[in-house]
Amino acid sequence: MPLHNTNSLLKYVVPGILVLLIVAGLFSCSSDNTARKTAIKTHDSTIKNSASGDSAAESLDTLTADLRNTQQQVTQITRQSALLT
C-alpha cells in the first residue's frame, strides 16, 4: 500500500501521543520527590488536638468562659467608642 493512501491524521496523532507519554513519564519521576518533601513538611507541623479528651461539661465551661471574655471585650470597646464620639 503506498504511503500517500494512509490516514493523514495519523502523522499528527502519533507524535502528539508520544509527547504526552514523555511528559507523563517525566512528571511521574519528579512526583516522588515532591511527595517526600510534602510528607516531611506535614510531619513537622502536626497539630495536637487537646480538646479530644474533654468531657461535655469541660467543653461547656470553656465555651462559657470564652463567651464571658468576649462580652467583656465588646463592653470595653463600646465604652471606648462612646468616649471617642
Side-chain angles (χ1 to χ4, degrees):
M1 181 184 286
L3 206 54
H4 68 279
N5 287 338
T6 60
N7 189 355
S8 63
L9 187 61
L10 193 61
K11 64 182 175 182
Y12 298 109
V13 172
V14 170
I17 291 175
L18 288 175
V19 168
L20 286 176
L21 288 175
I22 291 171
V23 169
L26 290 175
F27 276 123
S28 68
C29 291
S30 66
S31 68
D32 292 338
N33 293 334
T34 306
R36 278 186 247 145
K37 289 178 185 176
T38 305
I40 291 170
K41 287 180 183 177
T42 55
H43 179 67
D44 291 339
S45 62
T46 56
I47 298 172
K48 185 177 179 183
N49 187 2
S50 61
S52 61
D54 288 352
S55 67
E58 290 172 334
S59 296
L60 184 60
D61 290 341
T62 303
L63 290 174
T64 304
D66 289 344
L67 178 62
R68 189 175 311 120
N69 289 337
T70 304
Q71 287 174 338
Q72 289 173 353
Q73 290 174 355
V74 168
T75 304
Q76 181 183 10
I77 291 172
T78 305
R79 286 182 191 152
Q80 289 175 353
S81 177
L83 290 175
L84 294 174
T85 57

